[in-house]
Amino acid sequence: MKKLLYVLLWAVLYFVAFLAADCLGFLHPFLYLYSALAAAILCAWPYVKLNQKHPVTGMAIIPVALMVFLFAAIGEAKMDFVAIALLIGLVAEAVRHLAGPYDNPRSIRASYPVVSLIPFSAVLFLWTAPGHMYPETMQEMGKAYADKMQPLYNIGLEIGMIVLTIIIAYVCCYLLTKKK
């Protein structure tokens, strides 16, 4: 029971960190579209702690699954986000398994950059249906906010942010797992 509570504690802290990064989007559209940068920093600590304390199968997917469940519970998870986030979590679990023993920091360092890509699944529709975003954003956040978001629909910027997020996630994870 104590182990389950510990796992849930770190998974909930992961969700809170992810939500905090996501809420930065209220400040500016750039921070909404590229919240993955902040999430890579804020979510690293709970993810690493969970995986260090319990080096077993499932610890890469559990915080992701709980986060998706909690976002769905508050009405903030569309089905495409749920599917892609869970797929990313499963890929992270596979990467962790392939990267070596679960008690080896290398496996955490390899899986966390994969998990850090989850925020991009929420804005993937910018590539698939860019015209759909403007009216939805205008309704939820107002015309001025939606107008600021339009120039940020840039695939080059998106790819750059994905690469930067992976690098930031790896560095954060490395710093948290290196031996002192």
Side-chain angles (χ1 to χ4, degrees):
M1 184 66 168
K2 186 177 179 181
K3 182 178 180 178
L4 176 64
L5 289 175
Y6 189 89
V7 168
L8 286 174
L9 169 75
W10 288 109
V12 167
L13 285 174
Y14 178 87
F15 168 75
V16 169
F18 191 95
L19 184 62
D22 203 33
C23 286
L24 290 174
F26 289 116
L27 301 175
H28 193 274
F30 180 87
L31 297 172
Y32 168 70
L33 294 173
Y34 305 113
S35 67
L37 297 170
I41 296 166
L42 296 175
C43 295
W45 185 63
Y47 183 85
V48 167
K49 288 298 179 188
L50 173 62
N51 282 279
Q52 284 178 328
K53 183 70 175 172
H54 300 291
V56 296
T57 302
M59 292 303 127
I61 187 70
I62 285 175
V64 174
L66 182 67
M67 176 194 63
V68 166
F69 173 77
L70 292 173
F71 270 121
I74 63 173
E76 289 295 323
K78 295 179 181 170
M79 283 312 294
D80 55 348
F81 169 76
V82 169
I84 295 168
L86 290 174
L87 179 63
I88 289 171
L90 290 171
V91 169
E93 192 66 50
V95 166
R96 181 139 191 246
H97 178 73
L98 294 172
Y102 279 91
D103 60 350
N104 186 327
R106 182 180 58 227
S107 71
I108 301 171
R109 292 176 192 155
S111 67
Y112 184 63
V114 176
V115 170
S116 73
L117 297 176
I118 289 173
F120 291 105
S121 63
V123 295
L124 191 62
F125 54 85
L126 292 176
W127 293 355
T128 58
H132 176 70
M133 183 62 188
Y134 186 80
E136 190 176 295
T137 304
M138 195 167 79
Q139 181 182 13
E140 190 171 322
M141 299 296 288
K143 184 175 178 358
Y145 189 94
D147 288 343
K148 287 180 191 173
M149 195 177 258
Q150 285 290 90
L152 299 173
Y153 298 164
N154 180 324
I155 196 159
L157 182 60
E158 185 82 9
I159 291 168
M161 289 298 149
I162 289 171
V163 170
L164 188 57
T165 297
I166 291 169
I167 292 168
I168 288 172
Y170 182 82
V171 168
C172 288
C173 202
Y174 178 81
L175 293 173
L176 289 166
T177 59
K178 76 177 188 169
K179 301 219 183 213
K180 295 177 181 172

